[in-house]
């Protein structure tokens, strides 16, 4: 890590949401991969160095304490106040709106500020040196906000008498208030915790000059996946996210927040064992999160959805208990090792095939764009069931690839249902099967499935045209078996980025 004074009073970082297109359950195992797509719906962390009024505080600030206020204005009663002791490298929460805590925020602040203070101590000491009298001490004000798609907007639309459509969602204010507490809000499964952790880690590191803003990649230059700056954000965010959850998960959601869309192979959990132990030291934390630590053996292969294919997402207002589902699947796998091994191998092959077809479609768009666009145009006005039956498709490589993509996702879904039946888990329950089949019958739809661990929470479709997307949304709006609502988010390649705060005046105004 290098030390440098921050060149901006305000630092703004964003991190995208995620959709695990294929790889649910298997992504937990390092022998397998998952294909994860980043979204253009992001979570934002804004860090400001400012004088904080401590006159109403009952906390006895020491000379080495840096005051921190965190606010999340989209939620009710969502602010927390902390003091970071630069001598002891400890964080203390001394106040909050409802006397509750925010475990994810607290772990990120403790972890990241301790690392900053250890590896680049001058940055925090400068803050203390610039402090005014005790009642107005220089500190940090942190703003956490998210694009609307991270949280269900059903109640907001109902209050204004609007239908659950994309057009209605576009009428809502950006980063709208949810009217809920953080604990009661209905999330849509885009990975808000991972995106928040990642954006907050990045904003703090850049704010204090541990990283230069150019170390992180706005608009995702793919070379950034190999930079030490991105690796540092990734490592710290993975550690903090695991610590806050109390377990080491697959890490694909944090990886997507850092790197955007890619094929992901998880890291070995042993890399975090020492740092996550109860009596770990700051030295072990520095070692565990270092970009030089070869224990971080996760693999990230950048991927893009082929040209003219668009991701469409839907929130299903039913809900599933993902941790419980994962637990049951892993228990079945342990109890039936031979059967599970065969099924895992089949799923792995089917999952990888989707990525291979995507790659081939990207190549086809580059090698013969005319033929590629002609095939997309033809398929976009016909249901996929008709694509393979047309004799003209024989000599059209792109059309053949699209047929392969349809066959591929149907194969993945078949195997997911088999896994669910074996484990007694509703990975693609019958209600979702009927909805997905209806989506696949829409002209121009080449993929439809449940993302991630599956269940009743959500579905995704990939469409070949705007008209196809509109037709899919009509299916959702007219569906009666479940309440299915669209999200506005589409695919995006970019990962964590540092943004120009001057271009986001609505955010900086919230700091005042």
């Amino acid at each position: 890590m290098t030390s440098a004074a921050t060149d901006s009073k305000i630092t703004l970082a964003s991190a995208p949401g995620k959709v695990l297109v294929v790889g649910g359950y298997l992504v937990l195992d390092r022998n397998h991969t998952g294909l994860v797509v980043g979204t253009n719906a992001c979570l934002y962390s804004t860090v400001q160095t400012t004088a904080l009024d401590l006159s109403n505080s009952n906390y006895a600030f020491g000379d080495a304490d840096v005051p921190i206020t965190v606010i999340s204005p989209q939620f009710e009663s969502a602010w927390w106040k902390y003091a970071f002791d630069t001598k002891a490298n400890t964080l203390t929460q001394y106040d909050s709106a409802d006397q509750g805590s925010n475990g994810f925020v607290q772990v990120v602040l403790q972890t990241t500020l301790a690392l900053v203070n250890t590896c680049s101590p001058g940055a925090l000491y400068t803050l203390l040196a610039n402090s005014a009298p005790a009642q107005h001490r220089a500190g940090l004000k942190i703003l956490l906000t998210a694009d609307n798609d991270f949280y269900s907007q059903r109640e907001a639309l109902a209050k204004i008498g609007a239908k659950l459509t994309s057009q209605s969602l576009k009428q809502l204010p950006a980063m709208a208030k949810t009217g809920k507490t953080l604990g009661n809000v209905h999330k849509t499964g885009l990975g808000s915790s991972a995106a928040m952790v990642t954006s907050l880690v990045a904003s703090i590191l850049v704010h204090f000059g541990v990283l230069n803003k150019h170390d992180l990649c706005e608009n995702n230059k793919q070379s950034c996946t190999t930079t030490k700056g991105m690796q540092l954000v990734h490592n710290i965010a993975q550690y903090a996210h695991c610590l806050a959850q109390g377990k080491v998960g697959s890490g694909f959601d944090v990886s997507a927040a850092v790197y955007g869309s890619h094929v992901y192979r998880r890291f070995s959990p042993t890399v975090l064992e020492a740092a996550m132990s109860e009596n770990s030291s700051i030295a072990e934390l520095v070692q565990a999160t270092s970009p030089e630590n070869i224990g971080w053996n996760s693999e990230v292969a950048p991927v893009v959805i082929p040209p003219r294919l668009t991701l469409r997402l839907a929130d299903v207002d039913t809900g599933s208990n993902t941790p419980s589902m994962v637990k049951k699947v892993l228990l079945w796998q342990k109890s039936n090792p031979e059967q599970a091994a065969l099924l895992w191998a089949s799923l792995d092959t089917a999952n990888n095939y989707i990525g291979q077809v995507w790659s081939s479609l990207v190549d086809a768009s580059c090698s013969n764009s005319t033929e590629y666009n002609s095939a997309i145009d033809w398929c976009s006005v016909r249901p996929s069931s008709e694509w393979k039956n047309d004799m003209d498709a024989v000599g059209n490589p792109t059309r053949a690839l699209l047929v392969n993509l349809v066959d591929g996702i149907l194969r993945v879904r078949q195997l997911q249902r088999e896994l669910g039946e074996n484990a007694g888990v509703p990975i693609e329950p019958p209600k979702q099967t009927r909805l997905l089949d209806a989506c696949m019958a829409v002209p121009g739809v080449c993929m439809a499935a449940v993302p991630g661990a599956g269940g009743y929470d959500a579905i995704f479709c990939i469409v070949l045209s705007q008209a196809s997307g509109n037709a899919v949304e009509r299916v959702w709006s007219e569906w009666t078996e479940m309440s299915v609502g669209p999200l506005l988010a589409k695919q995006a390649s970019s990962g964590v980025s540092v943004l120009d705060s001057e271009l986001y005046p609505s955010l900086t105004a919230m700091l005042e």
Side-chain angles (χ1 to χ4, degrees):
M1 299 185 190
T2 59
S3 174
T6 183
D7 59 0
S8 174
K9 188 178 181 181
I10 297 177
T11 304
L12 170 61
S14 69
K18 55 71 186 174
V19 178
L20 186 61
V21 173
V22 292
Y25 302 101
L26 272 70
V27 77
L28 292 163
D29 186 339
R30 185 166 156 71
N31 292 316
H32 306 289
T33 61
L35 195 165
V36 60
V37 172
T39 70
N40 59 0
C42 293
L43 202 138
Y44 305 85
S45 294
T46 310
V47 179
Q48 178 185 37
T49 298
T50 188
L52 297 177
D53 183 1
L54 306 178
S55 58
N56 294 322
S57 171
N58 293 323
Y59 186 77
F61 279 87
D63 292 340
D65 288 340
V66 174
I68 303 164
T69 296
V70 179
I71 55 175
S72 191
Q74 288 168 273
F75 303 105
E76 299 294 316
S77 304
W79 57 261
W80 304 268
K81 294 185 178 182
Y82 307 91
F84 183 77
D85 185 335
T86 55
K87 289 183 178 178
N89 265 344
T90 56
L91 183 79
T92 302
Q93 178 181 312
Y94 67 87
D95 199 5
S96 69
D98 58 1
Q99 303 309 306
S101 61
N102 185 322
F104 284 95
V105 168
Q106 193 156 340
V107 168
V108 172
L109 292 178
Q110 170 66 64
T111 300
T112 313
L113 290 174
L115 287 167
V116 168
N117 197 39
T118 301
C119 302
S120 189
L124 284 169
Y125 293 154
T126 300
L127 252 187
L128 293 171
N130 291 336
S131 287
Q135 290 185 348
H136 290 82
R137 182 185 292 246
L140 300 177
K141 193 170 187 179
I142 298 175
L143 176 73
L144 302 176
T145 51
D147 286 325
N148 289 342
D149 269 350
F150 282 93
Y151 314 113
S152 174
Q153 303 299 321
R154 294 169 183 271
E155 290 190 16
L157 294 179
K159 286 180 180 178
I160 61 175
K163 295 181 179 179
L164 190 58
T165 66
S166 293
Q167 289 304 314
S168 298
L169 290 171
K170 291 175 183 177
Q171 304 308 311
L172 295 175
M175 302 177 192
K177 292 183 180 296
T178 63
K180 303 280 188 180
T181 63
L182 183 57
N184 292 328
V185 72
H186 178 99
K187 297 182 178 181
T188 58
L190 291 182
S192 58
S193 297
M196 184 280 291
V197 166
T198 300
S199 63
L200 184 53
V201 167
S203 60
I204 292 173
L205 293 179
V206 172
H207 194 74
F208 286 108
V210 174
L211 293 180
N212 185 288
K213 63 182 180 181
H214 300 297
D215 292 331
L216 306 182
C217 303
E218 189 172 4
N219 299 324
N220 194 51
K221 301 175 181 64
Q222 294 289 3
S223 61
C224 285
T225 58
T226 60
T227 68
K228 289 184 179 179
M230 297 287 276
Q231 185 71 47
L232 178 63
V233 173
H234 170 269
N235 296 356
I236 297 173
Q238 290 283 18
Y239 167 81
H241 197 250
C242 290
L243 192 62
Q245 286 187 317
K247 63 177 182 178
V248 181
S250 71
F252 84 87
D253 44 3
V254 169
S255 190
V258 175
Y259 298 118
S261 301
H262 61 277
V263 175
Y264 173 74
R265 188 184 303 278
R266 70 159 304 154
F267 58 89
S268 300
T270 52
V271 72
L272 291 176
E273 282 182 355
M276 287 185 67
S277 63
E278 188 173 346
N279 298 314
S280 63
S281 65
I282 184 65
E284 287 171 319
L285 177 58
V286 171
Q287 167 62 23
T289 56
S290 170
E292 308 295 340
N293 186 342
I294 61 174
W296 288 103
N297 54 3
S298 55
E299 297 174 14
V300 174
V303 70
V304 294
I305 292 182
R308 297 187 60 185
L309 274 64
T310 302
L311 177 71
R312 295 298 304 267
L313 300 169
D315 168 40
V316 180
D317 192 27
T318 302
S320 301
N321 187 333
T322 298
S324 174
M325 292 171 63
V326 172
K327 185 177 180 180
K328 287 183 179 179
V329 168
L330 295 181
L331 181 62
W332 174 81
Q333 181 191 26
K334 184 177 181 180
S335 302
N336 302 271
E338 293 184 3
Q339 184 182 3
L342 292 173
L343 184 52
W344 253 239
S346 297
L347 267 167
D348 187 57
T349 299
N351 293 341
N352 290 336
Y353 185 69
I354 299 298
Q356 292 163 8
V357 176
W358 279 14
S359 179
S360 296
L361 282 166
V362 171
D363 291 342
S365 72
C366 295
S367 62
N368 190 336
S369 60
T370 299
E371 182 272 328
Y372 180 87
N373 286 318
S374 174
I376 296 291
D377 290 340
W378 190 92
C379 291
S380 68
V381 295
R382 294 169 175 82
S384 61
S385 59
E386 297 181 9
W387 297 353
K388 66 171 62 176
N389 298 326
D390 187 84
M391 293 303 296
D392 292 338
V394 175
N396 189 306
T398 298
R399 212 182 296 178
L401 286 170
L402 290 171
V403 169
N404 292 343
L405 185 57
V406 171
D407 290 342
I409 196 61
L410 292 177
R411 173 63 173 161
V412 169
R413 287 178 52 199
Q414 174 196 344
L415 293 168
Q416 286 178 326
R417 290 193 298 271
E418 183 180 338
L419 174 58
E421 290 166 3
N422 289 336
V425 171
I427 296 175
E428 187 190 294
K431 286 184 178 182
Q432 291 282 54
T433 297
R434 289 188 284 272
L435 173 59
L436 294 170
D437 288 347
C439 293
M440 288 298 296
V442 172
V445 174
C446 60
M447 293 181 70
V450 290
Y456 293 95
D457 289 334
I459 65 167
F460 74 86
C461 294
I462 293 183
V463 301
L464 302 182
S465 69
Q466 180 66 48
S468 300
N470 293 342
V472 162
E473 187 173 329
R474 284 195 294 273
V475 170
W476 298 344
S477 66
E478 295 169 1
W479 202 254
T480 57
E481 193 171 12
M482 297 179 291
S483 176
V484 186
L487 302 183
L488 295 179
K490 306 292 193 298
Q491 72 265 26
S493 296
S494 58
V496 64
S497 302
V498 177
L499 309 175
D500 183 350
S501 60
E502 293 184 359
L503 300 179
Y504 296 81
S506 61
L507 284 180
T508 53
M510 295 182 195
L511 290 166
E512 297 173 357

